[in-house]
Amino acid sequence: MAERLVDLGWLRIFVEVGRSGSLSAAASALGLTQPAVSYQIRRIEEQMGVSLFRRQHRGVELSPEGRRLFEIVEKSVGGVDNLVRSFRAEAERPSVRLRTDYAFSALWLIPRMHAFRLLHPEVDIQIVATQRLDRGGPESGDIAVFFGTRSEFGPAASLLLPEKVVPICTRGFAERHGPFADPSQLAGTTLVHLDSEMPSPWFDWESYLAAFGVARDAYAGRGDLRFNTYSLVVQAALSEQGVAIGWMGLVDSLLAARTLVTAGPMLEAPERGYWLLPPAAANPEAEQLAQWLLSEAAAEPE
């Protein structure tokens, strides 16, 4: 067995003396007597074979060897203290992790989270946004909200937001490039696309226009835009860059404020949408959040 050069419990005493420059002050901070602290310092110096402190008329100061040791030990002791405090804080505060995509988290969830926090201020919430296709189910104790169909997520999933879409743009863009009284008129304007795998798991411009019998020449637009996240699609529409497909539930507040306006009829795909995946294991906080999400979604206007 390797020889233990120094008792780790003494290192905290060494650090406190080094910080304060006083055996008495260190003893008071540690709840020990001054002779006990002095004895422990002598033991450390004997085991190391060097003097760690220089005794002064008032207090002590680190020797060169003591300073080298202090620079290493202070970081280690401080790191352990911080880690222990974080362990205790995590153990004391309940928490829940919600996995979802960027669009749902930015446009639907975050504007509503203050309401949940008012109801459950004791719960820490971690929102993990991802666009990975291998979304899977929630890990133990977590919940998840992802876009898809029931066949993808199983019978335990609950439909939060069925897919309802409508073309959206600013009033200024509609006045300059419209009117868009008929879907066929959208085929000749600049469209903002959300990239996805093929075939698209949600309404895209091709499937939207096809639903109304509109065939669009690939070169008929005025320089279409494509983005890989829906938040950028909405931002492009807000910047009057073109017409985007608006998912109801995600752009409702923008339409209600007239920041964006509709530019065509609505389409629905009730078998698709955002689904809530419940926790895989019992977790009271995750179940609270799941029930709140369901109630918030149920309050959405039809």
Side-chain angles (χ1 to χ4, degrees), residues 69-90:
L69 179 62
F70 181 82
E71 291 174 354
I72 296 174
V73 174
E74 183 186 34
K75 294 179 182 179
S76 300
V77 171
V80 171
D81 287 345
N82 290 336
L83 186 59
V84 170
R85 281 193 290 268
S86 70
F87 286 159
R88 290 174 177 170
E90 291 171 4

Side-chain angles (χ1 to χ4, degrees), residues 112-216:
R112 293 169 170 81
M113 282 308 302
H114 69 283
F116 180 82
R117 296 188 64 79
L118 288 175
L119 291 173
H120 304 285
E122 76 286 356
V123 179
D124 287 343
I125 303 168
Q126 180 186 11
I127 299 173
V128 181
T130 178
Q131 292 296 125
R132 295 188 310 167
L133 298 183
D134 55 333
R135 297 165 296 188
E139 299 172 2
S140 177
D142 291 344
I143 59 175
V145 175
F146 283 120
F147 189 93
T149 63
R150 180 177 292 281
S151 62
E152 294 180 66
F153 303 121
S158 300
L159 182 61
L160 281 180
L161 299 176
E163 185 178 20
K164 300 178 183 179
V165 301
V166 64
I168 55 173
C169 64
T170 63
R171 181 180 294 277
F173 186 91
E175 291 174 349
R176 289 193 301 274
H177 301 282
F180 303 119
D182 185 273
S184 62
Q185 294 171 305
L186 292 168
T189 195
T190 301
L191 302 181
V192 184
H193 301 260
L194 175 63
D195 284 335
S196 67
E197 70 268 30
M198 296 303 293
S200 174
W202 45 67
F203 280 120
D204 57 11
W205 275 116
E206 182 179 0
S207 59
Y208 177 89
L209 293 174
F212 297 99
V214 177
R216 185 179 191 242

Side-chain angles (χ1 to χ4, degrees), residues 12-301:
R12 185 175 301 280
I13 296 175
F14 167 73
V15 169
E16 194 61 43
V17 174
R19 284 173 179 166
S20 64
S22 167
L23 297 175
S24 298
S28 177
L30 295 168
L32 301 172
T33 64
Q34 191 270 350
V37 170
S38 179
Y39 171 75
Q40 298 287 19
I41 292 299
R42 287 199 304 272
R43 289 289 304 274
I44 298 175
E45 290 178 328
E46 288 172 1
Q47 288 195 4
M48 292 192 170
V50 295
S51 295
L52 300 176
F53 292 96
R54 292 172 176 166
R55 277 63 179 176
Q56 306 293 319
H57 177 64
R58 292 184 178 179
V60 295
E61 69 174 7
L62 289 162
S63 67
E65 294 81 5
R67 173 61 59 185
R68 291 165 61 189
L69 179 62
F70 181 82
E71 291 174 354
I72 296 174
V73 174
E74 183 186 34
K75 294 179 182 179
S76 300
V77 171
V80 171
D81 287 345
N82 290 336
L83 186 59
V84 170
R85 281 193 290 268
S86 70
F87 286 159
R88 290 174 177 170
E90 291 171 4
E92 292 169 359
R93 286 187 62 85
S95 64
V96 60
R97 180 167 53 178
L98 169 62
R99 298 172 59 235
T100 186
D101 65 24
Y102 295 116
F104 184 85
S105 59
L107 298 173
W108 192 92
L109 182 61
I110 292 176
R112 293 169 170 81
M113 282 308 302
H114 69 283
F116 180 82
R117 296 188 64 79
L118 288 175
L119 291 173
H120 304 285
E122 76 286 356
V123 179
D124 287 343
I125 303 168
Q126 180 186 11
I127 299 173
V128 181
T130 178
Q131 292 296 125
R132 295 188 310 167
L133 298 183
D134 55 333
R135 297 165 296 188
E139 299 172 2
S140 177
D142 291 344
I143 59 175
V145 175
F146 283 120
F147 189 93
T149 63
R150 180 177 292 281
S151 62
E152 294 180 66
F153 303 121
S158 300
L159 182 61
L160 281 180
L161 299 176
E163 185 178 20
K164 300 178 183 179
V165 301
V166 64
I168 55 173
C169 64
T170 63
R171 181 180 294 277
F173 186 91
E175 291 174 349
R176 289 193 301 274
H177 301 282
F180 303 119
D182 185 273
S184 62
Q185 294 171 305
L186 292 168
T189 195
T190 301
L191 302 181
V192 184
H193 301 260
L194 175 63
D195 284 335
S196 67
E197 70 268 30
M198 296 303 293
S200 174
W202 45 67
F203 280 120
D204 57 11
W205 275 116
E206 182 179 0
S207 59
Y208 177 89
L209 293 174
F212 297 99
V214 177
R216 185 179 191 242
D217 187 325
Y219 301 97
R222 304 173 185 174
D224 285 0
L225 297 173
R226 311 190 73 92
F227 298 95
N228 65 342
T229 62
Y230 189 61
S231 295
L232 295 178
V233 170
V234 173
Q235 188 59 49
L238 290 169
S239 301
E240 302 196 345
Q241 301 298 307
V243 181
I245 291 179
W247 270 267
M248 303 307 296
L250 303 186
V251 299
D252 300 47
S253 61
L254 297 172
L255 293 173
R258 304 296 290 172
T259 307
L260 293 172
V261 298
T262 60
M266 181 179 295
L267 276 184
E268 299 185 27
E271 77 285 357
R272 296 195 307 239
Y274 277 101
W275 295 80
L276 169 65
L277 284 65
N283 181 310
E285 288 72 36
E287 291 166 6
Q288 284 178 338
L289 181 55
Q291 289 303 313
W292 178 81
L293 289 169
L294 289 169
S295 64
E296 284 291 305
E300 290 287 315

